[in-house]
Amino acid sequence: MQFFRSERGGLLPFTLIVMGTVILIGALAVNTVRVEHGRSLSQSVLDICVLNAAAQRQTLPPRDVFDDCLEKHGFEATITSFNATTGREKSVTATADLSVESFFLQDPVTYELGVASTAQETFSNLEIVLALDVSASMNLASPISTNPMGDLKAAANTFVSQMLAEDTQGNVKIAIVPYNTQVNLGATLGNQFNLTDVPLNIMNGATRIGPDVTQQRCVELPATGYDSTAISTTAPLPATPFVDMLGSTNQTNARTAPTSTTFAVATLQENLCSFFRLNPSPATNNVVFPPDFGFEALGTPAQRIAALQAKINALVATSNTSINLGMRWAMAFLDPAMQDAYTALRQSNLMPPSTVGHPRAFTDQSAIKVIVLMSDGTNVDEPRLNPAYLSGPSPFWIGNDNNLSWHNPLRPGPDQYWVPHLTATAGNAPGGWRAVPWQNATSTGLPARQMDWREVWRRMKVRYVAWEFHARSVNQATGIGAARAANTAERQAAFEAALADYLPPGLTVTAATKDAQLTEACNLARASNIFVYSILFETETTNSPTLESCARSASFFFSASTPGALSQAFNDIALNITQLQLAE
């Protein structure tokens, strides 16, 4: 009986039960942690690899990217399914099974887990304007580049291909705005604006006088034209006249015929609104190219890439530089005010229905607006013709044999018509004064015809007119020594006075003014949430500090000192734009 009444060791069974329970709970906890750790790790790796495979920036097949990622992360689960779709909306879905063996249990248990992940990257509506410098300096070889224009074309072509390769829905819109001294809209696009004083071809019967200006449609923007992103399609805008203000001439005592294509004839490339250098004529090499222009229906990515690359390959470097105008018009082609012009082009079957609603409103959250502004140098002073000499009767006359006369009413005496081609008299260079305009050698047939100023500038460069008529008509005595030196000085003074009259210095748009306008435009673009990338192609010309400050931020500015660096700049911009555009 004493044995049954003893209490020693009474807690041992309870202790054993509690310890067993704790051990069991611990084992279950360890197994639970192991299972959750395996599931969490597998899920994390699967998420990472699905995201990588769905990235629009990837050029490899999604499955290759996915498998490579799994291998690098040491993924232990078994992939049970993988599906991928590519295009504007790139989507990847994957599932996997994971087996985790239990610990501490007499009869081991295998936990079967499943993980799944889906990633999708879609593009927003993307509106891009490539504002490309096609000034004459892009033709100049240097130790940096033997062919800057060719380098630009190669880089821009690759950019276009990168941006449009998978754009099957037409959500990426790319416009090209070539600029030099001016931005030329061309006839088709220019006709959608209310341009005044548009240059027209001047005909003499069936013969055109001077170059074919069918495609010349540049705009003389007012100084106040930089306070808005829009350029009105309805408000009157003065067109740039055709005047060869940039061409040089041959300043010699000998006569230079007005048919000299080198020193006399007005050319398209030395006109402020320059759009091509070589034949055929008319050409559209350097005119603005709106997005998807020429397509009645949305083309395939390959077709649209080919159209843009054909435009880029046709660009010709000529004339001076106005970065401010390139930037200004680039903003205009991102402003919804351009919708009216695009509507008219669609009605003419020159743009597809996919351009409806473009350019999008700045408040449209689905739209990303981008300008890529490229230049190799600085803004350059730009002369302007004295308005008195734009149109109306001129003092120049043309005979029925196409020889010219110039009337100088300030010359004393009756002989006030200078005729440059007259046979030289002893001791004189060719040319002479007459009392009446030259008709022909026999003074028979149709009378001499007074030319309008517009015809004068279609035929001749401004500098040729200043030298051949104003300067060469001064004192024909050639002389020697001091007399000849005085004669040369008088002619030079007459030449400079004539130039100052035709091209008044006070009307010149200076580089400093253009820089200020560029800064204003860039600030406005930044305030309008336009992503501005700027590229400086350092071809050893003077470089513009304003170009760097125009970029949205320091990381949006690219300084390219080699052709390879230029290509890399465009490539980096394409990748950066893609990152801006992605919405997961």
Side-chain angles (χ1 to χ4, degrees), residues 521-535:
C522 296
N523 290 339
L524 181 58
R526 198 173 293 111
S528 302
N529 201 32
I530 296 173
F531 292 87
V532 180
Y533 298 84
S534 60
I535 303 174

Side-chain angles (χ1 to χ4, degrees), residues 95-134:
T95 60
D97 286 342
L98 175 67
S99 298
V100 180
E101 298 290 336
S102 65
F103 281 0
F104 307 118
L105 300 181
Q106 182 176 2
D107 297 320
V109 176
T110 300
Y111 298 97
E112 299 292 342
L113 307 173
V115 290
S117 183
T118 298
Q120 178 177 299
E121 289 187 346
T122 60
F123 284 144
S124 305
N125 288 303
L126 181 58
E127 298 172 346
I128 303 173
V129 178
L130 295 179
L132 305 178
D133 185 342
V134 292

